[in-house]
Structure formats: structure tokens, C-alpha cells
Amino acid sequence: MQQTVKHDVLILGGGPAGLSTALHLAQLAPELIPRILILEKAHYPRPKLCAGALLADAEIILQRLGLDVNEVPHVDAVAAHLDFAGKGLKISLPDTHTLRVVRRDEFDNWLAKKTEVRGIEIREGVTVRDVLPRENCVIVETDVGIFTAQAAVGADGSNGVTRRCILPNALVHTARVLEVLTPPYSTQKPSEFGNGDEGRERIAYFDFFCVPSGIAGYTWDFPTQLNGQPMRCWGVYDTNILADMQRPALKQPLLEEMARHGFDLNDVELKGHPIRWFSPKNQMSVPRVLLAGDAVGADSIFGEGISIALGYGALAAREVSESIHRGDFSFAKYKSRVLRSALGQTLLARWAVTQILYRLHWRWFQRFFWRSMGWIISAASWVLVLNWGKRMPSLYPNRPGDS
Ligand SMILES: Cc1cc2nc3c(=O)[nH]c(=O)nc-3n(C[C@H](O)[C@H](O)[C@H](O)COP(=O)(O)OP(=O)(O)OC[C@H]3O[C@@H](n4cnc5c(N)ncnc54)[C@H](O)[C@@H]3O)c2cc1C
């Protein structure tokens, strides 16, 4: 049945970017709450292929929204190892966990419920088919009918329809990613690392040994849980920037890494999903429609996108609320404001490091870098990867430092 509903803001996609946009809008402009609608194609709790590692900035942004992620089932990693073929650098944060690992079905469901509690309507099971910006409104065609609004936020992820509708010819940088869940180390036979790899259970591993073979990325191995049972999440990430080299199939390095620890990939189900990553060339808006989260681009070094999506939500909300108050929906300054923000600065810096680090793919360089440059990597992580959440715009309009 066709239906036409007029809202101020339609948020297309109810993942971290869309829900964060809604939560920030509710905080910045509470008068808009009844005029915001989120359209989500799935029903919560919905599956989402993701390792679920939250960096500290995700927690900072959630805390600023008055949300406590401790309410979500999680496993904390006490340290992260950044290695080349099993040896490298250990990073840990003083007095706290280094990574918190959630299951995305549980995390997104929790965030959606928090959004609804604040009075924002989420229409589940509605698939957006087309997004048509017009001079006076934006028209969103879905499988249940047509919605119109003053503005729309495309937060429908790496494969989202919004970007394809509003920017059909835009250049897209897409990483290949594979992921698999296994039982924990303690269930495995002794491996080259000892009996059941004790001591590894609370550590998150990133290993860059695959770069010399032309995979511009890393394999990961994180602690996680499924229905309260300890598990490991393994995966491999490839930015694709060495795509012109002869490369092994993406499965190969993951197979090797898991085999070193006594796991057999043939016993488990492997799943893949692309990640669109940030480049300063990525377009972010057209009049009446702006993009947030993976629809713009995740971090390019690691494919880290949850905290990034939450951060985009803060920026998209500020842009939309100001546009409504001004009555100007050109979104002409959105990209420059994103790039100047603390989120934009970390994304730009990580993009620059990606271009250098993965293009210098020689074995000797990668081995030297990960095994001998520990202090540089630690300092760079502190400045480039962590702590941008604290410098994001305030949640209240017209405060100094918000521009
Ligand atoms: C294998 C893998 C592992 C990852 N591991 C990590 C990690 O450990 N840590 C990390 O920080 N990041 C990780 N990421 C990246 C992270 O998952 C994304 O960056 C993050 O989910 C982006 O959030 P988002 O809200 O932009 O998009 P999504 O989470 O993709 O949300 C988009 C939402 O839009 C909905 N939607 C899509 N199309 C439509 C439509 N047509 N109509 C209506 N709704 C629609 C979807 O159902 C979904 O709910 C990983 C990604 C992959 C693929």
C-alpha cells in the first residue's frame, strides 16, 4: 500500500551511524524528535558481519550521549598486539581495557532500544529502494511506499543504496574482508605456541605478515563471546590498494594464521562483506541528502568503523539541525566541516598512513617496521587512532569550538 509521510528528517539505515545521528539530534534539537523517522530494512536484533571491536572513542561518544555500553554483553581485551609473523609490539592502556568486543546483533539492538526510549520512531522491515532529492524536499521510495522529508541522512552502510542514488558516478574504495568464529584456544590441541595458547585468551592480535604477498591489510584474532560462551573471532582485511600485484586468495593468509594456532578453517564457516573506506576524495552530500558512517567511509588502515560511524552521527546531526533552523538544505559545507573535525582529522591521518604503510610492502620493511618501530607506532596510535572522540563538537548548539 502506498503511503506518504512528511517528516523533517529521514534516517536511512539503523546501524551505529543512523542511530547515533538520531540520538545526537534528540540531544541537540529535542523539538525535532517527533519529526524524525529511521527506516531500517531488517528487524532487530539483526545479524551484522563484524568483529565488534570497540575502541575507546566509541565508549566516549556513547558516554556523552548518556549511554553505558557495559549494559551490552562484551569481552574486554587487556592488550592489543600489532605483529609481523607473530612478533611485534604490545599496546595496552593504563588502568583500563584496550578493546571491548561486542556482538553486533546485541550492540545494535541495544542502541536501537535506547533510541526508541528517547522517543524516536524506527520503522523496521522497510527497505529503501530510491532516494530522490528535489528542490523542496527529498523523496524516499521504499518497499512499503513513499516517504518525504526536508532532509535525509544516508546511513545504510558500505553497500547502501543512498550513495548509489545520489552519487552514482562517485569513486568507491572498497576493502575485502573475511571473518570466522571459532571456539577459544583452550579447546584446541597444543600448537607451536604451547598448550591451548594460555595467556592469549584476553589479547587481541593484528598480524601484518600478509602485506608482502600483496594483501594490503592484516589478519586479526580477537576474544569474543556467543550467547555468553567464550569464542575467538578471526578475520582478514585487505584495503585492495595493492590490487595490481599478484595476490594470494584472501582466505590463504587466514588459513595460515589459524593453522599456526591449531585451528582448521575447513571446520568453520567463513563469511565476507566489503568495507567502504574513507578517502578525502569521497563525496559526502548533495542538497537535501548527506551521508554518514560507512556510506562515507570507515578508517582505511584497520577498517575500524563502529566508533567512526558513531562520530559521523554527531556531525550529521549538527549539520541537519542547523539546516532545519536556517531553512537551507544545501549541505554545501558538510564535507569541509567533517574534514576539519576531530573525526575528519583522524580519518585523514589514517588515510595518509595507509597510503604509505601498505605501499611499502617489502618483507624487510614490514618486519622492521612492526618489530623495531614500537615507540613510533605507540605514539602514532595515541595521536592518530585514539582520543579524537574527546574533541568532537559539544552536544549543545552554539558553544565555542563547535564550528
Ligand atoms: C567482517 C567485518 C569486520 C569488522 N570488524 C570491525 C571491528 O571489529 N570494529 C569496528 O569498529 N568496525 C568493524 N567493521 C566495520 C563496521 O562493521 C562498520 O564500519 C560499521 O558497521 C558501520 O556502521 P554504519 O552504521 O555506517 O553501517 P552498518 O552497520 O552497515 O548499518 C547500516 C544499516 O542500514 C541498513 N540498511 C542497509 N540498506 C538499507 C536499505 N536499502 N533500506 C533500509 N535500511 C538499510 C542495514 O540493515 C543496517 O542496519 C567490520 C566490518 C566487517 C565487514
Side-chain angles (χ1 to χ4, degrees):
M1 190 175 64
Q2 292 279 307
Q3 64 185 105
T4 300
V5 184
K6 184 113 172 61
H7 287 87
D8 281 335
V9 190
L10 290 173
I11 297 175
L12 315 178
L19 297 169
S20 167
T21 304
L23 287 160
H24 280 90
L25 268 172
Q27 203 114 347
L28 278 169
E31 70 283 2
L32 294 179
I33 289 175
R35 313 275 304 153
I36 301 170
L37 178 64
I38 300 178
L39 301 177
E40 167 53 51
K41 75 173 176 190
H43 290 269
Y44 302 103
R46 54 109 178 79
K48 164 74 184 108
L49 193 70
C50 180
L54 298 180
L55 294 194
D57 293 293
E59 294 182 54
I60 291 168
I61 292 176
L62 292 169
Q63 274 161 14
R64 283 159 43 112
L65 288 165
L67 300 176
D68 181 0
V69 77
N70 280 306
E71 294 171 11
V72 184
H74 60 268
V75 176
D76 286 343
V78 293
H81 272 254
L82 303 178
D83 292 336
F84 183 84
K87 279 196 214 130
L89 155 81
K90 176 177 167 185
I91 295 182
S92 56
L93 301 182
D95 306 325
T96 185
H97 51 275
T98 304
L99 287 180
R100 169 156 292 181
V101 186
V102 294
R103 300 294 313 150
R104 282 294 300 279
D105 53 344
E106 294 170 336
F107 176 79
D108 290 23
N109 184 45
W110 168 79
L111 203 56
K113 297 291 164 281
K114 295 291 177 192
T115 307
E116 286 177 325
V117 163
R118 297 195 182 180
I120 291 168
E121 186 185 354
I122 305 179
R123 221 52 81 91
E124 297 176 45
V126 177
T127 301
V128 173
R129 297 246 164 92
D130 207 350
V131 181
L132 305 158
R134 296 283 183 260
E135 200 177 325
N136 297 321
C137 68
V138 53
I139 300 169
V140 175
E141 293 181 0
T142 74
D143 58 348
V144 299
I146 294 172
F147 296 78
T148 63
Q150 305 261 36
V153 178
D156 43 359
S158 288
N159 282 336
V161 72
T162 311
R163 176 180 43 79
R164 280 184 272 130
C165 292
I166 64 168
L167 299 164
N169 302 317
L171 199 66
V172 179
H173 305 277
T174 308
R176 306 182 294 161
V177 197
L178 295 178
E179 182 181 298
V180 66
L181 279 188
T182 68
Y185 287 113
S186 54
T187 61
Q188 294 304 301
K189 298 186 286 286
S191 74
E192 64 179 90
F193 296 91
N195 202 349
D197 281 5
E198 289 120 355
R200 291 180 63 95
E201 301 284 12
R202 304 285 308 279
I203 297 181
Y205 293 91
F206 300 79
D207 201 309
F208 295 81
F209 76 96
C210 53
V211 180
S213 64
I215 289 181
Y218 62 93
T219 59
W220 78 78
D221 165 19
F222 297 164
T224 189
Q225 56 82 36
L226 191 62
N227 304 322
Q229 295 304 310
M231 302 285 283
R232 297 297 292 185
C233 174
W234 303 78
V236 54
Y237 171 81
D238 178 12
T239 58
N240 256 329
I241 64 172
L242 299 176
D244 49 341
M245 281 179 65
Q246 282 266 324
R247 296 180 295 175
L250 197 55
K251 195 174 164 184
Q252 188 60 29
L254 188 57
L255 197 78
E256 280 172 31
E257 184 63 5
M258 292 176 71
R260 286 169 64 219
H261 297 282
F263 290 86
D264 183 354
L265 191 53
N266 295 319
D267 295 344
V268 286
E269 192 190 356
L270 195 63
K271 293 184 179 162
H273 194 277
I275 301 180
R276 182 173 199 232
W277 48 266
F278 170 90
S279 151
K281 292 187 186 143
N282 289 2
Q283 290 167 265
M284 302 184 188
S285 64
V286 297
R288 298 265 170 201
V289 186
L290 50 78
L291 302 175
D294 278 10
V296 180
D299 148 58
S300 49
I301 303 180
F302 297 105
E304 188 228 335
I306 305 172
S307 70
I308 304 289
L310 295 171
Y312 276 117
L315 300 175
R318 180 183 62 177
E319 208 65 25
V320 167
S321 74
E322 288 182 9
S323 299
I324 289 173
H325 288 120
R326 282 200 314 267
D328 168 7
F329 296 93
S330 66
F331 297 132
K333 293 190 178 153
Y334 179 55
K335 179 169 175 176
S336 66
R337 294 181 88 186
V338 170
L339 295 182
R340 286 204 319 269
S341 71
L343 172 68
Q345 298 292 304
T346 188
L347 285 169
L348 276 167
R350 296 189 206 190
W351 171 82
V353 172
T354 303
Q355 300 301 316
I356 299 166
L357 182 65
Y358 291 138
R359 288 193 198 283
L360 301 178
H361 53 81
W362 311 288
R363 181 174 303 277
W364 69 265
F365 174 81
Q366 292 290 328
R367 182 191 294 266
F368 168 74
F369 185 78
W370 295 108
R371 295 189 180 177
S372 311
M373 304 287 277
W375 63 274
I376 293 190
I377 300 169
S378 295
S381 306
W382 196 251
V383 177
L384 303 181
V385 178
L386 295 174
N387 294 317
W388 56 267
K390 293 179 186 156
R391 303 192 303 275
M392 287 295 279
S394 87
L395 287 169
Y396 304 94
N398 306 324
R399 286 227 184 136
D402 276 7
S403 64

